[in-house]
Amino acid sequence: MRAVYGLLRRLIAHELRLIVSLGRWVARRPHGVGEGRGFGHARGQAAMMFGFAFVCVVESVGMSVLLRDYPVAHQVVLVLDVYTVVFVIGLYAACVTRPHVLDATVLRVRNGAHVDLRIPLEDITSVRREMRFTHERADGELNLPVSAQTEVTLELAAPVSHFTFLGRERTVRLVRLHADDPDELVRSLTRARTALSPLPDPLA
């Protein structure tokens, strides 16, 4: 029973984050950037998300016509349809307002409202531009594709803890992610890692 309550809490918290993300999206207020620099990852899924939302709206209109003689069923289905549209737009808003964030010591890797992984820069041993379209599940790896695509791969010296949507803890040592501007993310990460651990002066 405790596990069920824990799952319900996580689901409710996720729904609330989506609602808050809608407000932040309208107000153009990104979440958690602070003194760091944000790197978007939502551009590649905009068409799919809005296409899905449009299909939901069309389906809502169709169901309204079919159920016009059944007012109770019509009201129930209408509420569910409106909720679905809000949910889909909220998913996209969460991706827009929760970018990856790079600051002087940490890279914050995110995906919507359900992934928020903080990776210390000192633990990143390799960052490279690597485009992949297939991602098989493997122990110690975290893949965060958008439209089935990732462009940046991070290898870690020490494992970091990642919690799945259902709350299960995993340790990962390799992260693949999508970014709207992967080249700039790789360059910025490389500069930040160099500034954190500069190479020794050969003349010293």
Side-chain angles (χ1 to χ4, degrees):
M1 187 62 68
R2 183 178 297 177
V4 174
Y5 287 148
L7 176 59
L8 288 176
R9 283 197 301 268
R10 286 190 289 272
L11 290 174
I12 292 172
H14 182 260
E15 300 294 300
L16 291 176
R17 287 194 293 270
L18 294 185
I19 298 301
V20 171
S21 295
L22 283 170
R24 285 184 170 274
W25 185 36
V26 172
R28 296 187 177 183
R29 293 179 55 199
H31 173 274
V33 176
E35 299 296 325
R37 179 181 177 187
F39 292 86
H41 55 84
R43 188 186 306 157
Q45 57 189 329
M48 179 185 67
M49 286 294 191
F50 284 111
F52 187 37
F54 176 76
V55 170
C56 291
V57 171
V58 172
E59 187 265 347
S60 299
V61 174
M63 292 302 295
S64 295
V65 173
L66 291 174
L67 297 175
R68 62 183 180 276
D69 296 328
Y70 306 92
V72 175
H74 176 267
Q75 293 298 322
V76 172
V77 172
L78 179 62
V79 169
L80 292 175
D81 287 340
V82 170
Y83 170 78
T84 301
V85 173
V86 172
F87 180 81
V88 171
I89 298 176
L91 288 175
Y92 177 70
C95 291
V96 173
T97 59
R98 295 170 179 265
H100 307 307
V101 179
L102 174 64
D103 62 24
T105 59
V106 172
L107 173 65
R108 192 172 178 180
V109 174
R110 304 201 281 188
N111 187 12
H114 62 280
V115 175
D116 193 340
L117 180 65
R118 297 173 185 268
I119 305 175
L121 297 186
E122 61 186 10
D123 289 342
I124 299 176
T125 59
S126 172
V127 52
R128 62 181 179 271
R129 180 80 155 81
E130 179 185 38
M131 184 172 290
R132 293 176 66 102
F133 295 94
T134 58
H135 304 86
E136 296 182 4
R137 184 180 177 85
D139 289 339
E141 296 184 5
L142 176 62
N143 297 303
L144 302 173
V146 171
S147 299
Q149 180 176 317
T150 58
E151 301 90 1
V152 179
T153 299
L154 310 174
E155 294 183 16
L156 312 181
V160 295
S161 294
H162 162 64
F163 290 89
T164 67
F165 180 74
L166 298 180
R168 188 168 66 87
E169 184 177 8
R170 294 181 57 210
T171 56
V172 297
R173 298 191 66 154
L174 187 143
V175 179
R176 298 187 182 94
L177 57 94
H178 168 80
D180 294 338
D181 190 349
D183 292 322
E184 181 58 27
L185 176 56
V186 170
R187 284 193 296 266
S188 298
L189 257 175
T190 301
R191 288 195 296 265
R193 290 171 62 230
T194 301
L196 191 65
S197 301
L199 295 175
D201 187 348
L203 301 179

